[in-house]
Amino acid sequence: MISCRYPWFTLLLATAFICPATGSSRSSSDWGHFVGTVKTEWYDDGRTMKLLDDFGYADAARNTWKAEKGHEIDGASIPQVFWTFIGGPFEGKYRNASVVHDYECDVRKRPWRAVHRMFYDASRCGGVEATKAKVMFAAVYHFGPRWGTDKGPRRFKTEEDFKRLRNYVESNPDVTLEQIEGLDQATLRNFERGKHR
């Protein structure tokens, strides 16, 4: 069980999560479902947890993403620049998604692009609103971990870059994940110029 030093966290994680309705035209089952309940033991560093049981996410295509018992997670897959926007990696409606994302970013058995896409879908499954989930996806896609031979170019590096990405996505709620993946500095500059005319 979770350490009693964090009783509020025990309440947050003690319930199994099935995707709630998200307010979109897609039903909750279109985003898949979580498998099990996040059960952890905190380490004394105040950040790292050990999974005491398997926990997973099954996406809408029936792919299973499992975070295995005994694995240590610390939220490092969620860029810190993102925390100022929505909170730490184990807060809010995306916390279950962050557990599976953290695991996948550690073991690196699947392509990084697929892992970051899974984070978006799992966040929606957890009840995160579409635009906020897209901002979160932009953060992990452009600032999060990458591995393998196809790492792609890093177009953004600073907190100011993240703010500009966030502003772009929030001002264009119909932007697709593919468009977010293709964003570059020139696109954001052109957007800002048009906005200030």
Side-chain angles (χ1 to χ4, degrees), residues 81 85 135 139 143 158-166:
V81 68
F85 168 62
V135 171
F143 293 89
T158 67
E159 187 170 347
E160 189 60 35
D161 288 337
F162 171 71
K163 289 176 183 175
R164 292 168 62 217
L165 273 170
R166 175 184 171 193

Side-chain angles (χ1 to χ4, degrees), residues 15-36:
T15 306
F17 289 89
I18 301 299
C19 302
T22 60
S24 73
S25 59
R26 292 174 70 168
S27 72
S28 60
S29 63
D30 287 341
W31 297 112
H33 63 277
F34 293 107
V35 180

